[in-house]
Amino acid sequence: MRICLLEDDLELGRSLQAVLQNADHDVMWLRRIADARLWIAEGGFDAVVMDLGLPDGDGMELLRALRRNHRKLPLIVITARDAIEDRLDGLDGGADDYLVKPFAGSELLARLRAVARRSLADSGEPQQAEWQLRDLILDEPRMEVRRGQERVPLSRTEFCLLLTLIKLPDRVVTRRQLESRSPSQMDGRSLDVHISNLRRKIGEGYIRTVRGVGYLVERG
């Protein structure tokens, strides 16, 4: 699954990101409400795992807004607020599940599986597994890229960058968005290196540079 993790605590955020990635989930870890609003609005997430105590706004307000605008998106709250009133507010505010800190990583994974099953059953539709860019096929669950029957070997970071661009065709994806989307820590220089390596592996003509802003891929 592609998961948006919203947690401002550095130590806990790194730990949860590792737990989710080790379970083969594709994780975008964010620390601010403003970034979460931006990325979730773009679509493509299978679930959101979010704290309520965030530095730039009210987590409950964000939760209610997400439920209004993304009715079928699975939402799991992780928080230290353990009073029964807080739990009821979270569930009534739109959370599919409410997990009180501290908790085991295995419990979070189990709850994610449960809400994902419910969401898929409610939708009655299979999730998109493959994405195409001209002659390239991206198999998201397997994290593989193929050209015809030939596999194109990419690193995890390269795959995530290409997937992000392909899910937003004909739109400029900013450098900041790509850096935050990476499964590893990244700065501007390392982003350029990864994009250069990605172009070398898939060939020129797929990824266009928008100087001073970011990158885009075009359908045609």
Side-chain angles (χ1 to χ4, degrees):
M1 289 193 295
R2 186 180 181 217
I3 298 170
C4 177
L5 171 63
L6 182 57
E7 170 59 64
D8 68 311
D9 183 273
L10 286 173
E11 183 176 352
L12 180 57
R14 291 191 185 102
S15 175
L16 292 177
Q17 183 182 43
V19 166
L20 293 167
Q21 288 178 341
N22 288 339
D24 293 327
H25 295 301
D26 187 9
V27 184
M28 174 180 284
W29 172 26
L30 304 172
R31 300 178 61 205
R32 294 172 55 83
I33 287 177
D35 292 331
R37 288 184 186 278
L38 174 65
W39 275 102
I40 295 172
E42 299 287 359
F45 288 112
D46 301 308
V48 175
V49 177
M50 59 175 292
D51 191 7
L52 295 178
L54 298 162
D56 64 329
D58 183 355
M60 279 300 303
E61 181 181 337
L62 174 64
L63 175 63
R64 296 187 188 101
L66 292 179
R67 182 50 71 217
R68 285 195 304 270
N69 298 324
H70 307 273
R71 295 181 59 190
K72 295 183 178 180
L73 180 65
L75 302 170
I76 295 181
V77 166
I78 54 171
T79 181
R81 303 177 187 177
D82 60 354
I84 184 63
E85 293 83 2
D86 292 320
R87 296 181 190 225
L88 294 175
D89 285 345
L91 294 169
D92 289 341
D96 294 291
D97 206 342
Y98 191 101
L99 194 53
V100 177
K101 301 174 183 177
F103 51 84
S106 57
E107 182 178 6
L108 174 60
L109 293 174
R111 293 185 184 228
L112 264 173
R113 290 191 293 269
V115 298
R117 284 195 300 269
R118 291 199 297 268
S119 175
L120 194 57
D122 290 344
S123 70
E125 299 177 357
Q127 294 177 312
Q128 182 170 344
E130 291 189 342
W131 304 80
Q132 184 166 4
L133 177 63
R134 286 172 249 170
D135 60 340
L136 292 177
I137 302 293
L138 275 76
D139 186 324
E140 187 171 0
R142 293 185 175 87
M143 296 192 72
E144 291 183 353
V145 177
R146 302 187 305 274
R147 181 181 284 111
Q149 298 301 314
E150 181 181 355
R151 185 172 178 271
V152 181
L154 299 181
S155 70
R156 182 183 182 87
T157 297
E158 291 162 355
F159 181 90
C160 290
L161 292 174
L162 182 58
L163 182 64
T164 299
L165 291 166
I166 285 180
K167 285 185 173 181
L168 300 171
D170 301 319
R171 298 180 61 176
V172 178
V173 182
T174 68
R175 297 176 65 88
R176 181 183 176 188
Q177 288 172 325
L178 286 169
E179 288 165 8
S180 66
R181 181 69 184 79
S182 170
S184 58
Q185 293 295 321
M186 182 180 295
D187 57 23
R189 184 171 181 178
S190 60
L191 173 62
D192 292 335
V193 171
H194 284 299
I195 293 292
S196 176
N197 290 337
L198 187 53
R199 282 173 166 152
R200 175 174 53 80
K201 292 178 180 181
I202 67 174
E204 293 293 333
Y206 293 97
I207 301 174
R208 182 157 68 87
T209 300
V210 180
R211 194 170 300 278
V213 181
Y215 300 92
L216 66 82
V217 297
E218 296 172 318
R219 290 188 180 93

